[in-house]
Each structure stands twice: as C-alpha cells, then as structure tokens.
Amino acid sequence: MLSRFPLVLFICLISSFLWAQPLSKKAIKKLPACDAANDLLSAHQPREDPYKGMRMRSFYLYMRDSTALAIDLYLPKNIKAGDRLPTIVRQTRYWRRPQLRFPFSLFSKGLLGRTGKMVERFLDEGYAIVNVDVRGSGASFGQRLHPWSPEEQADGAEILDWIVAQPWSNGQIGSLGVSYGGTAAEFLAIQQHPNLKAVALMFSLYDVYADNAFPGGIHNRWFTSNWGDANALMDANELPPNAEAYKWLIKGVAPVRKKKKQLGRAVSSHEENKNVHEGALEVDFRDDRPRQGAGRKVDYFSPHHYIDALRASGVAVYSYSGWQDGAYAEAAIKRHLDLGAGAHKLMLGPWEHGGAYNISPYCPSLAKFDHAGELLKFFDYHLKGQKNALVQEAPIHYYSIGAERWRAAQTWPPAAVVWDSLFLSDAGLQSSFAPLSEQKIVADHQFGTGEVNRWTAVNGKVKSPYTYADWAQRSASLLHFDGPLLESPLEIVGESKLQLQLQSTEDLADIYVYLSELKADGSLHYITEGQLRASHRPKTAWQSSHLRKDAQAVVAQQWLELRLQLLPVAWQLQKGSRLRLSLASSDKDIFEGAYTDKEYDLLFRSIQEARSFLLLPVYQE
C-alpha cells in the first residue's frame, strides 16, 4: 500500500510528517531509530474503552457570502446518542482528501498508510475530526488573492460556530496542521474564538518574509516558483509534478458526496486565483507592496504581525518543527518566545519538513518519535481536561544531533548555553584574535546546495533521511575557515552569530554562511547555515528588520561590517572533529542572487579595529 505522497498532497488530518517514501522505505526501515523520546517524554495513555472504527460524511458548508466549502466530518463509528466529543479542525489548501481510482476506491476512501492510522487513533480516543478544503482550493468554491486571506480566516471562525452547534460537540475545539495547515491553525487562534482552546502548529512558518520567501532578504525563488506552480495545478484539480507518478492511483480531489457535479464548478471558480511567485518577484523589502493580486504587503498575511491577538486569545500553542525544516525551526522558536508565559510548548526534532525522517547523519532512519501520541497528550490535556504528564514536563524539548539524545529546557537558548568566540584568521578559526589578510570569493556564482536540502524539503523533495549526502564534494570550492582539532565533544545549541568585515567589487553583495563538522576521516557533515543580502544588514543588532527605511547601501570598494544570525541547531561535534565555517556568494539552486545583471568579487578581512568573528552558543552540562 502506498504510504507516503509528496508533501503537497496533504491528505486528511495529519500530513506528510507521518508518511514514508516508498522508494527507500524497505532499506530505511532496517536502520536503527534514535529519535524516540521514551526516556524523557511520557507516553500517551490511551482510553480504557476506545471507540472503534469511523464513519465519514462529506458536505458543503455555506459561508456568510454563500461561498461553499467542502467539509469531511469523521466521527467514531459506535458513537452513542448523547456522547459529546471534542473536535480537531484541519484546514488545508492541498486537497482535504484525494479521490482514488477504481479499484483502489473499493478499499479506501483516501485515508492511506500512516495518515489513516493517525485518524483512526484520534477517533478511537474520542475525537471528532473536521477536515476542510479552504476557500478557493480543492472541492471548495471561491478565489484566492493571497494565502490566509481575511476571508479564509473568517471562514475558520464560522466553521467553529457550526461545530459548537452540533449535537455531538462538547464545545471544546483544537486545530492542527502541517505547513500551510499549521499557519491556518495559527490564524484560527488569532480570531480569538471562545471555543478554540489549543492549536498544534507543525512545520509551519511564523514570519512569511524571513522564514520562507526571503530568508536574509534574499528571494527563495526555488520555493515560491515551485509552490506557485504546484498550487496552480492542484487548484485546477491536476496532480503537481511531485505526484505525477501516482496518477494510476489518484484521480484528483475527492468531490463532496452526492455533489459530484458541483466539483467542476468549484474548480472553475479557482481560475482567478493569484500566483504567489508573481507577487514575490515584485518584492525586495518586507514593506514593499507588489502590484499584482491584492497588492498587499507580505506582513498582511504573516502570523507574526498579529502576535498581540494570538497572546490575547488564551489558546495553548504547540510549536513543532525539525532542524532541517527550511527556516521553520527558527519560526517555531520565535513564536514560542514571542508568546511568553502560558501553557505553550516547543518541540524541535532531528527531522525534515514533516517529520517522517530522522535526518541525523549519526542515525539516519524513519522517524520513530510518536508524533500522534504527543499530540494526543497535548489535546487531551487542553480539550478533555485530563491532568496527564504534560503539565509536569518542561515547555521545551529538543534533540541534539551527534549527542543523539533528547534534552528538556525551560528557556531558549537553554540556561546551560554559554557564548564562545572564534576569530577568522589566516590560520582558520582561533579562540584568540589573530589577523586575517584579505581573502577573496571570486565571482563565478556557480555554487548551489543541490536538490536535497532543508529548503527543498519544504516542498516535498526530501524522500529519505540522507540530506546533504554530497556536501563534501559540493562545498569543496568554498572559502573555508577550520577550527582546532577538538580534544573533547563540542555541543552547539542555538543560533550562531557571525560578524564579517566585507568588501564588494560592485555596489551589491549576498553572503551565504555554512557550518559543518569535518570528521577525522575527512568526511563532512552539514550542520546549519545563514544568508544575508548586504543592503539588508542590521546597523547594531544581529537580525535585520528588512524594512526599506533601514536599508544600508553597499558601496563598491568600501569595507562594511556585516552581522547575521545562522539558523538554529542542536549539534554535538565529536572528539577528533573540527568545526568548519564556509563562505559563498551564491546558492544558485535555491536563491535569486544579487548578480542578475553584473557579477562581483567579495573580499574579507579581520584586523584589530575591525574584527571578523563567529559566536557559538556552546552547551555546557
């Protein structure tokens, strides 16, 4: 049975983080798993009298403006008259459920593999599930001018009103989702509906600009282009490129039962949907207003812009991500810190976007972490009032790659973290200052991180735990600074920071920074990265506002001081290894470079009065 589709085909309640890629599943299954957290997190305690089986009903629910949304309602099969259940809502723009071709439709209505098991598990535990094609997508009617529009957000609140009025509802509602669906759940919480008590925001962005479309102020063209194209195909009820191999199985989106003739009309209503990539091409700074579509600034549909409303909602938030989940681990951390005090949780695992794989090079495997159990424990506490172990557990849990263990923390970065300085010098990275004579990156701009990396993971390209498998060969041409041979393990936990003295031969510059572990045997493990367009560099802090008013010009042949923060990670380098810092001026496979019409060389230096250095967050037990 097919058990994992490409990421863009989220089917039903939980999506790709529970699916397995069929291509390498048999081989990967034999690998030992390290990401189970049985020694740190308590297991979910199932009901003593579980419900068994399910019944599903699909229908159209009409919104205030008469737009019809396609809904799938799942209830336990043996629910009794008078039973009142808490409800889990999931809103998606990736088809709430696929329509399977004959004869496969005889054996399943679209709940396959781990996804089907996840739904069954929630139903057995006494939850109702409401699965929605959001406005302008799937089998729903309407148009989409941009993601997470005010109309879509208002639809979510209306759906909750409908749920509360149902005879099977106890009025306690939670919401969850992966990627787009996670952000939809976050906007649902921002609506401050009194019956919404808890949301699990999994592998989802927080700041649209910085977390996805423009990390470091540089256009993530690979994602916006591929995402825009895939969405356009799905909105036309066609399989996107990542799913073409499954045409023998999937016909398209599942129509609403007894309303099959309306599917064509619903799909036709999507013809005016706008492509996000076209808008991204007209943006540089976060406050730029694109001319196409609704012409709205990116913060207009970015959850971070509404943090005050999220805090005021009183909703418990579980921020959930992985270390190679694009920039979404940073998104989860920023959200958790911005929320402040409350019943909020943060989970950071050794996962790609979706959490199907443990991407640690020390233990690559299918993820064995009990995602479903952890989520059930969270919702049981907040929707059922069960005083389970959740309340005794730390608010933050993260997995340290290399150490191959889970850790708990009360704060981020953890209290055990201290800052260590390493200076860029002619001899590499040194703990005390030494000068760095001018080093150059020549303008060939041919370096790229390939097709299997943290950024392509967000659009479903990672289909095994072996990410950055060719990193040693791929990064060999970069400018490197190696640290000293480690006499004992070194554990990095948090966001490393880099200050550079930089000069460009032209009036533009992009900088890409990579940390790697150089092993004693010569192998190289990618750890993390950061990037920054020099005109976006912050004046004093480590993170840019990315506002046009704060822009700083790059003047050719003049030295400038650039500060940037790398994406977070928890990674223990082994005894006998070295830390490697690598610098590049491009990632041609992912980002739209600043060299569209002219190329440039970059020079680096470190002198007594203008130092270049790396700040490492070092974990000390």
Side-chain angles (χ1 to χ4, degrees), residues 278-283 288-298:
E278 295 174 2
L281 291 174
E282 299 180 352
V283 171
D288 290 346
R289 188 185 296 272
R291 294 183 300 275
Q292 72 89 37
R296 288 164 172 162
K297 300 175 185 177
V298 67

mmCIF file of all heavy atoms in Angstrom, residues 278-283 288-298:
data_model
loop_
_atom_site.group_PDB
_atom_site.id
_atom_site.type_symbol
_atom_site.label_atom_id
_atom_site.label_comp_id
_atom_site.label_asym_id
_atom_site.label_seq_id
_atom_site.Cartn_x
_atom_site.Cartn_y
_atom_site.Cartn_z
ATOM 1 N N GLU A 278 4.438 35.340 -8.596
ATOM 2 C CA GLU A 278 4.380 36.599 -9.334
ATOM 3 C C GLU A 278 4.474 37.798 -8.396
ATOM 4 O O GLU A 278 5.112 38.803 -8.705
ATOM 5 C CB GLU A 278 3.096 36.657 -10.157
ATOM 6 C CG GLU A 278 3.031 35.601 -11.249
ATOM 7 C CD GLU A 278 1.690 35.577 -11.954
ATOM 8 O OE1 GLU A 278 0.831 36.425 -11.611
ATOM 9 O OE2 GLU A 278 1.488 34.725 -12.830
ATOM 10 N N GLY A 279 3.838 37.686 -7.240
ATOM 11 C CA GLY A 279 3.934 38.762 -6.269
ATOM 12 C C GLY A 279 5.319 38.855 -5.666
ATOM 13 O O GLY A 279 5.845 39.952 -5.451
ATOM 14 N N ALA A 280 5.956 37.704 -5.394
ATOM 15 C CA ALA A 280 7.285 37.694 -4.783
ATOM 16 C C ALA A 280 8.320 38.345 -5.690
ATOM 17 O O ALA A 280 9.290 38.943 -5.210
ATOM 18 C CB ALA A 280 7.691 36.267 -4.451
ATOM 19 N N LEU A 281 8.134 38.249 -6.996
ATOM 20 C CA LEU A 281 9.082 38.851 -7.934
ATOM 21 C C LEU A 281 9.098 40.375 -7.846
ATOM 22 O O LEU A 281 10.035 41.021 -8.332
ATOM 23 C CB LEU A 281 8.747 38.420 -9.367
ATOM 24 C CG LEU A 281 8.986 36.945 -9.693
ATOM 25 C CD1 LEU A 281 8.490 36.625 -11.093
ATOM 26 C CD2 LEU A 281 10.469 36.593 -9.565
ATOM 27 N N GLU A 282 8.078 40.967 -7.227
ATOM 28 C CA GLU A 282 7.992 42.420 -7.119
ATOM 29 C C GLU A 282 8.356 42.926 -5.731
ATOM 30 O O GLU A 282 8.110 44.077 -5.396
ATOM 31 C CB GLU A 282 6.577 42.876 -7.484
ATOM 32 C CG GLU A 282 6.190 42.516 -8.917
ATOM 33 C CD GLU A 282 4.777 42.975 -9.257
ATOM 34 O OE1 GLU A 282 4.059 43.429 -8.347
ATOM 35 O OE2 GLU A 282 4.405 42.884 -10.438
ATOM 36 N N VAL A 283 8.955 42.049 -4.921
ATOM 37 C CA VAL A 283 9.279 42.398 -3.540
ATOM 38 C C VAL A 283 10.780 42.325 -3.322
ATOM 39 O O VAL A 283 11.451 41.422 -3.835
ATOM 40 C CB VAL A 283 8.554 41.448 -2.559
ATOM 41 C CG1 VAL A 283 9.051 41.645 -1.133
ATOM 42 C CG2 VAL A 283 7.048 41.667 -2.624
ATOM 43 N N ASP A 288 7.515 46.293 0.940
ATOM 44 C CA ASP A 288 7.194 46.567 -0.461
ATOM 45 C C ASP A 288 5.796 46.052 -0.775
ATOM 46 O O ASP A 288 5.378 45.008 -0.279
ATOM 47 C CB ASP A 288 8.203 45.898 -1.393
ATOM 48 C CG ASP A 288 9.573 46.555 -1.333
ATOM 49 O OD1 ASP A 288 9.670 47.664 -0.780
ATOM 50 O OD2 ASP A 288 10.545 45.942 -1.826
ATOM 51 N N ARG A 289 5.083 46.774 -1.615
ATOM 52 C CA ARG A 289 3.716 46.400 -1.989
ATOM 53 C C ARG A 289 3.705 45.949 -3.450
ATOM 54 O O ARG A 289 3.877 46.761 -4.356
ATOM 55 C CB ARG A 289 2.776 47.589 -1.805
ATOM 56 C CG ARG A 289 1.297 47.254 -1.990
ATOM 57 C CD ARG A 289 0.445 48.519 -1.900
ATOM 58 N NE ARG A 289 0.519 49.118 -0.587
ATOM 59 C CZ ARG A 289 -0.272 48.813 0.441
ATOM 60 N NH1 ARG A 289 -1.182 47.865 0.304
ATOM 61 N NH2 ARG A 289 -0.145 49.422 1.595
ATOM 62 N N PRO A 290 3.525 44.641 -3.695
ATOM 63 C CA PRO A 290 3.502 44.168 -5.086
ATOM 64 C C PRO A 290 2.286 44.714 -5.829
ATOM 65 O O PRO A 290 1.228 44.934 -5.248
ATOM 66 C CB PRO A 290 3.439 42.653 -4.944
ATOM 67 C CG PRO A 290 2.848 42.420 -3.598
ATOM 68 C CD PRO A 290 3.308 43.550 -2.738
ATOM 69 N N ARG A 291 2.449 44.895 -7.139
ATOM 70 C CA ARG A 291 1.358 45.451 -7.944
ATOM 71 C C ARG A 291 0.310 44.401 -8.280
ATOM 72 O O ARG A 291 -0.857 44.705 -8.416
ATOM 73 C CB ARG A 291 1.919 46.040 -9.247
ATOM 74 C CG ARG A 291 2.810 47.249 -9.042
ATOM 75 C CD ARG A 291 3.277 47.819 -10.375
ATOM 76 N NE ARG A 291 4.040 46.846 -11.147
ATOM 77 C CZ ARG A 291 5.348 46.627 -10.990
ATOM 78 N NH1 ARG A 291 6.014 47.299 -10.061
ATOM 79 N NH2 ARG A 291 5.984 45.749 -11.721
ATOM 80 N N GLN A 292 0.732 43.146 -8.408
ATOM 81 C CA GLN A 292 -0.203 42.107 -8.835
ATOM 82 C C GLN A 292 -1.089 41.682 -7.684
ATOM 83 O O GLN A 292 -0.812 41.923 -6.521
ATOM 84 C CB GLN A 292 0.553 40.902 -9.398
ATOM 85 C CG GLN A 292 1.295 40.059 -8.365
ATOM 86 C CD GLN A 292 0.450 38.959 -7.768
ATOM 87 O OE1 GLN A 292 -0.363 38.359 -8.453
ATOM 88 N NE2 GLN A 292 0.628 38.699 -6.486
ATOM 89 N N GLY A 293 -2.168 41.007 -7.997
ATOM 90 C CA GLY A 293 -3.058 40.454 -6.979
ATOM 91 C C GLY A 293 -3.676 41.526 -6.119
ATOM 92 O O GLY A 293 -4.094 42.585 -6.597
ATOM 93 N N ALA A 294 -3.736 41.252 -4.827
ATOM 94 C CA ALA A 294 -4.343 42.197 -3.898
ATOM 95 C C ALA A 294 -3.425 43.368 -3.616
ATOM 96 O O ALA A 294 -3.842 44.364 -3.013
ATOM 97 C CB ALA A 294 -4.702 41.493 -2.596
ATOM 98 N N GLY A 295 -2.153 43.260 -4.019
ATOM 99 C CA GLY A 295 -1.227 44.347 -3.801
ATOM 100 C C GLY A 295 -0.953 44.607 -2.338
ATOM 101 O O GLY A 295 -0.685 45.748 -1.937
ATOM 102 N N ARG A 296 -1.002 43.584 -1.513
ATOM 103 C CA ARG A 296 -0.820 43.757 -0.077
ATOM 104 C C ARG A 296 0.600 43.392 0.334
ATOM 105 O O ARG A 296 1.217 42.484 -0.221
ATOM 106 C CB ARG A 296 -1.827 42.888 0.691
ATOM 107 C CG ARG A 296 -3.250 43.441 0.592
ATOM 108 C CD ARG A 296 -4.278 42.412 1.007
ATOM 109 N NE ARG A 296 -5.613 43.011 1.079
ATOM 110 C CZ ARG A 296 -6.735 42.321 1.076
ATOM 111 N NH1 ARG A 296 -6.701 41.017 0.999
ATOM 112 N NH2 ARG A 296 -7.908 42.932 1.149
ATOM 113 N N LYS A 297 1.112 44.081 1.330
ATOM 114 C CA LYS A 297 2.431 43.782 1.859
ATOM 115 C C LYS A 297 2.420 42.383 2.468
ATOM 116 O O LYS A 297 1.411 41.890 2.962
ATOM 117 C CB LYS A 297 2.824 44.815 2.913
ATOM 118 C CG LYS A 297 2.883 46.242 2.388
ATOM 119 C CD LYS A 297 3.151 47.224 3.528
ATOM 120 C CE LYS A 297 3.091 48.662 3.043
ATOM 121 N NZ LYS A 297 3.275 49.632 4.155
ATOM 122 N N VAL A 298 3.603 41.759 2.490
ATOM 123 C CA VAL A 298 3.686 40.371 2.925
ATOM 124 C C VAL A 298 3.283 40.215 4.389
ATOM 125 O O VAL A 298 2.716 39.185 4.775
ATOM 126 C CB VAL A 298 5.113 39.821 2.676
ATOM 127 C CG1 VAL A 298 6.134 40.502 3.567
ATOM 128 C CG2 VAL A 298 5.147 38.312 2.846
#
